[in-house]
Amino acid sequence: MQQPSPRTRRGDERHYNVALVGLGHRGYKTHFQNILASRSETIVAACDMDATTRSSFSSKHPDVPSLCFPTRAAGRIVGIPVLKEKPAADSQSQFDQLLEMPVKIGVAFQKRFEPRYVQLEKLLPLVGDVASFRAVLTMNIKDLDATWRANTGVGVTEDLGCHPLNIIVWLFGRPTSLVAHQVDSVRQFQTCSGDDVSNIVVHWKSSSIVGHVHLSRVAHTAEESITITGTNGTLRLDGDKVVMLDISGSQLLEMVDTTSKRTIIGTMHRKLGDYATGRATEYPGSLGSLADTVAVGEAIQKPFATHQTQDLPAVSPTSVASLNGVHHVWPLITSESTDAVVKQTLSSLSIYDRSNIYQVFEDRWQEMHGLKHALTCSSGTIAIFHMFEALDLRPGDEILCPVYTFFATATPILQYGAIPVFCDALSNGNIGPSEILNKATPKTRAVVVTHMWGLPCDVPKVMENAQKVNGGIKVLEDCSHAHGASIGDRLVGTWGHMSAWSLQAKKNVTGGQAGVFATNDTDYYAHAILHGHFNKRAKQDKKAPPDLSREQFVKALEAHGLSEVDIPRSTGLLNELPMFSHTHEATPRYGDGPWHDPQPNEMFPTALAFYERAIKLPMWATPAD
């Protein structure tokens, strides 16, 4: 139970008083010990019905008052919010009773607060359409009869299973059906009741997802993992590590969660306090959000007894709306689009220059936005990469970025050793233009903005403030959410110096997996071409003037500060050197007649062309160079 305290610490930081009801294993080990030394919470009382438990507690913590108080009465204290231990409820009827209580209730599903699971949920869209998953949570509890479980009859499904079941409902919504099997009394002479091993298979009819949950408290080793496979690859949480693999099995990214349990428990308590006092509108474990989790938990009990598939009832029309599951299909696959794709495969699949469908698309994109240059890319992320490449960033440069955006808006900056400086959002989720002035330093090179969820940010004000920083910094637009959106009669993507769009499958304009870079600046366009479209596209779009000589080019380089450049005249073609063209004169001891016919330069056109165009740069060996 938490009650907001009038005290604040370090300015606006909230502080909450906590009364702990129940000093059993979870109450004491999980909650009390982890928040005892917290700066944000103070334990003002510890309550338990058992006199021996209270006496033991008081001997260890004489400064914390201990009271005789029934755990089930905690929620009846009107006005004091409650954080109750899992599960959310033992049955649907108990859940309904809890919902009627005039107090905000949270459930201690602590994994919802762990960064590894939060990251898993954020990365889930990257796998595409989910096909299947496998969740495993196993432990080796060596002496079950000596633990708190011995006298409660709690099995592995209730004890461990509530966590992964809550996670999969959070990720995928309420399943359509499930079937579950359990094994009891695995160990010889075991008296502890409840299931020791449990296997649950779940199915979502609307999205065709199939999942398997494996639970065990008598496993040979501990394991905690979730493997999610989709059309674009596989996402896997394994212990403290989260990795993303592409369809070939190559690792794309990895994160390791080193957050301590004390931090997680503290976060769970503080978030409940913020939710209870109105400082936050949502709580990840709020009782009202757990209806589907309770329904799954209750449905599992029937297959344990019958070994038959159990259908879950559909969500009541009066339930809170959920974005889980399929509500509409996008993109719309019509016969026209299918025919166009088939025709393209018969036309060309590998387009190396600006021709064919690329040219058609880029011409239309340029015309639609009134821009000089558009460049088709393999993804929106690559289009964003092109923008930062064009800026010629150097280590230590700073780029102002929205703190609320898709991570690919900012991650390319790190490839250049530059620093993303995050800016707060306005109430609509878009970057606050005033943050440009607040966060800028002499190292600031540009600001990148995202038009979040299709709502254009205040680009005119962003442009105005950008001009006030360091004589004017560049403005880059990430338009991946806002194809066709406009401010007045001007489209997004036409305000800044460069713009990028994603054409991923679920975007308003989709290419399956593609992106677009666009700009009015020919120099920026040239950088983008050289960055990702070298070979034929670069040669086609960026030809040197026909009258540009090598000497003129070297002088231009020197004028731009490149002093260590040279025309390598000491190394040329050998065929016309006297040593080889008049060998008989250089070495007369073999006679005074020519040794062979002349070999003029015309016989070596490629070597001659290279010699006449080559320049030489030094090998830079140190960072100072």
Side-chain angles (χ1 to χ4, degrees):
M1 297 188 297
Q2 295 194 338
Q3 181 67 25
S5 166
R7 292 173 291 167
T8 59
R9 297 185 179 184
R10 292 186 296 176
D12 190 42
E13 182 178 321
R14 273 78 72 188
H15 188 84
Y16 299 106
N17 293 330
V18 177
L20 185 65
V21 181
L23 295 173
H25 176 82
R26 293 171 182 164
Y28 184 76
K29 292 280 189 180
T30 300
H31 296 278
F32 180 82
Q33 289 190 335
N34 283 297
I35 64 173
L36 180 61
S38 171
R39 297 170 61 108
S40 303
E41 295 85 29
T42 298
I43 298 178
V44 295
C47 313
D48 200 282
M49 286 287 289
D50 186 76
T52 303
T53 301
R54 294 198 309 275
S55 175
S56 174
F57 175 84
S58 296
S59 65
K60 298 175 185 176
H61 309 284
D63 54 330
V64 179
S66 61
L67 308 173
C68 177
F69 189 84
T71 304
R72 293 185 178 274
R76 297 191 178 94
I77 302 179
V78 179
I80 300 181
V82 175
L83 178 63
K84 73 177 294 291
E85 255 301 342
K86 59 180 176 59
D90 295 329
S91 65
Q92 184 65 48
S93 59
Q94 186 188 76
F95 180 70
D96 293 338
Q97 291 174 4
L98 289 171
L99 286 176
E100 293 177 359
M101 297 179 66
V103 62
K104 289 185 176 180
I105 300 176
V107 181
F109 283 116
Q110 66 190 57
K111 296 190 184 302
R112 291 284 300 272
F113 299 87
E114 296 179 14
R116 54 184 175 147
Y117 282 98
V118 173
Q119 192 67 26
L120 183 79
E121 190 268 341
K122 289 183 177 179
L123 293 174
L124 185 60
L126 298 184
V127 304
D129 296 329
V130 176
S132 66
F133 71 85
R134 185 171 190 264
V136 177
L137 186 56
T138 63
M139 297 176 64
N140 185 356
I141 304 175
K142 295 183 179 180
D143 190 356
L144 284 168
D145 294 332
T147 68
W148 61 270
R149 301 167 181 84
N151 299 320
T152 62
V154 173
V156 68
T157 303
E158 180 179 348
D159 183 18
L160 301 184
C162 60
H163 283 299
L165 291 172
N166 175 252
I167 291 295
I168 66 170
V169 170
W170 173 42
L171 296 177
F172 309 117
R174 179 191 291 225
T176 309
S177 62
L178 58 84
V179 61
H181 299 273
Q182 62 180 349
V183 181
D184 302 334
S185 304
V186 171
R187 292 173 177 160
Q188 216 170 14
F189 310 117
Q190 174 182 320
T191 61
C192 182
S193 60
D195 54 317
D196 293 331
V197 179
S198 175
N199 282 283
I200 306 163
V201 177
V202 286
H203 177 237
W204 285 258
K205 185 177 181 180
S206 61
S207 54
S208 300
I209 300 174
V210 176
H212 173 216
V213 181
H214 174 67
L215 308 166
S216 176
R217 61 185 184 183
V218 292
H220 68 286
T221 186
E223 179 181 348
E224 182 178 357
S225 66
I226 298 182
T227 304
I228 304 171
T229 301
T231 53
N232 294 340
T234 297
L235 185 61
R236 178 171 172 80
L237 179 148
D238 189 0
D240 294 334
K241 184 185 297 184
V242 177
V243 297
M244 177 72 193
L245 308 172
D246 64 16
I247 56 175
S248 66
S250 300
Q251 183 170 308
L252 300 177
L253 58 86
E254 174 184 314
M255 70 151 287
V256 179
D257 185 3
T258 59
T259 311
S260 67
K261 186 174 183 178
R262 173 168 292 182
T263 299
I264 295 165
I265 298 300
T267 299
M268 184 166 61
H269 279 260
R270 282 190 294 278
K271 284 184 177 291
L272 177 67
D274 290 346
Y275 170 65
T277 56
R279 294 186 175 99
T281 57
E282 297 179 349
Y283 181 68
S286 64
L287 189 69
S289 68
L290 300 175
D292 289 342
T293 300
V294 173
V296 170
E298 186 168 53
I300 287 172
Q301 302 306 314
K302 294 180 182 178
F304 279 160
T306 65
H307 303 299
Q308 295 180 350
T309 299
Q310 175 69 27
D311 293 329
L312 274 77
V315 179
S316 168
T318 59
S319 298
V320 177
S322 170
L323 293 180
N324 292 317
V326 177
H327 292 260
H328 67 280
V329 177
W330 184 264
L332 298 175
I333 305 300
T334 64
S335 58
E336 182 182 5
S337 59
T338 303
D339 290 344
V341 171
V342 173
K343 289 178 181 179
Q344 183 60 43
T345 62
L346 299 175
S347 171
S348 177
L349 288 178
S350 297
I351 306 172
Y352 298 104
D353 55 10
R354 191 175 186 275
S355 63
N356 205 286
I357 193 66
Y358 285 179
Q359 181 176 1
V360 173
F361 176 82
E362 290 175 5
D363 284 348
R364 291 180 180 177
W365 199 264
Q366 290 170 196
E367 181 181 358
M368 172 182 174
H369 292 86
L371 296 172
K372 290 182 180 179
H373 306 288
L375 179 62
T376 308
C377 310
S378 60
S379 67
T381 301
I382 294 301
I384 293 171
F385 255 112
H386 287 344
M387 294 197 295
F388 293 124
E389 172 71 21
L391 292 179
D392 195 25
L393 296 178
R394 292 290 185 267
D397 287 346
E398 295 179 359
I399 304 294
L400 303 179
C401 304
V403 72
Y404 176 60
T405 183
F406 187 62
F407 63 86
T409 306
T411 49
I413 299 170
L414 305 176
Q415 299 296 319
Y416 301 94
I419 301 168
V421 177
F422 294 117
C423 300
D424 202 359
L426 298 175
S427 59
N428 63 9
N430 282 322
I431 189 171
S434 62
E435 286 283 88
I436 297 172
L437 303 178
N438 296 337
K439 298 293 180 67
T441 74
K443 295 182 179 180
T444 302
R445 293 285 310 281
V447 54
V448 58
V449 301
T450 305
H451 305 287
M452 287 300 298
W453 310 120
L455 180 66
C457 70
D458 188 355
V459 194
K461 192 64 177 180
V462 167
M463 297 292 294
E464 178 184 333
N465 288 351
Q467 291 303 307
K468 299 176 183 178
V469 175
N470 300 336
I473 60 174
K474 304 304 179 184
V475 176
L476 317 179
E477 292 183 72
D478 179 357
C479 309
S480 297
H481 288 185
H483 311 70
S486 62
I487 302 171
D489 58 355
R490 186 169 173 179
L491 291 173
V492 300
T494 65
W495 295 81
H497 299 85
M498 289 177 277
S499 303
W501 290 260
S502 168
L503 304 183
Q504 180 263 349
K506 298 300 182 181
K507 296 299 191 295
N508 294 343
V509 177
T510 175
Q513 188 61 263
V516 187
F517 164 91
T519 183
N520 269 326
D521 191 297
T522 301
D523 187 55
Y524 289 156
Y525 174 66
H527 275 81
I529 289 288
L530 293 173
H531 182 225
H533 300 70
F534 188 62
N535 201 9
K536 294 184 180 179
R537 180 74 186 251
K539 294 173 183 176
Q540 178 189 49
D541 282 18
K542 295 304 298 175
K543 293 180 180 178
D547 58 345
L548 179 66
S549 69
R550 175 171 53 173
E551 286 72 16
Q552 291 174 321
F553 181 62
V554 170
K555 286 182 179 179
L557 293 176
E558 291 174 339
H560 280 76
L562 184 61
S563 60
E564 298 179 280
V565 59
D566 183 33
I567 297 176
R569 301 183 188 280
S570 61
T571 301
L573 274 62
L574 303 181
N575 58 298
E576 292 193 345
L577 291 178
M579 176 65 72
F580 299 100
S581 62
H582 296 76
T583 309
H584 62 287
E585 296 178 5
T587 55
R589 64 179 178 273
Y590 295 113
D592 56 2
W595 289 21
H596 53 76
D597 293 333
Q599 302 179 65
N601 286 343
E602 289 75 13
M603 297 178 64
F604 314 101
T606 305
L608 179 64
F610 181 85
Y611 168 67
E612 290 178 343
R613 298 163 69 180
I615 61 174
K616 186 170 63 176
L617 300 173
M619 176 66 75
W620 291 292
T622 68
D625 297 336

